[in-house]
Amino acid sequence: IGLWHTTVSAVSPYWTLSCHDRAARDFAFLGSTSVIASVGNSSNNRNVAIWDTLLPTADCAVKKFQAHELGAMVCCYSPKRQTLLTGGAKGDICIFDVRQRKLQHVINNAQ
């Protein structure tokens, strides 16, 4: 994932993160411009991650979750409930509490 300054003409992003070793599919800002969630496909099945872009790159992974057996495809943040919803390749939906950094609920076969 790369973050770019839109007001600066640059040839490379100002912040780059290698977050999912197979594929990054989606990301969402979590209520601020410095904390993001990413979803994708990783060999260690940690397919959902929360990052703080203000921390050094080596320490910016705040939490990684083992979720979505075949990888996560999409994510959406609900600021009112402070929850992250993610959808997996097999049709499962995961609901995460961002404040507690915990998986709250899994809905299987939501197709």
Side-chain angles (χ1 to χ4, degrees), residues 3-70:
L3 296 180
W4 299 72
H5 283 288
T6 58
T7 58
V8 177
S9 177
V11 294
S12 61
Y14 73 91
W15 188 82
T16 304
L17 179 66
S18 180
C19 51
H20 303 284
D21 62 354
R22 291 189 177 155
R25 303 273 184 216
D26 198 6
F27 81 98
F29 288 99
L30 302 182
S32 74
T33 57
S34 66
V35 179
I36 62 172
S38 66
V39 297
N41 199 347
S42 299
S43 58
N44 62 4
N45 286 334
R46 295 192 185 275
N47 299 322
V48 177
I50 297 175
W51 310 89
D52 188 339
T53 63
L54 297 179
L55 295 175
T57 304
D59 302 321
C60 67
V62 175
K63 181 74 176 176
K64 293 182 179 181
F65 299 96
Q66 287 187 328
H68 305 294
E69 183 181 334
L70 297 178

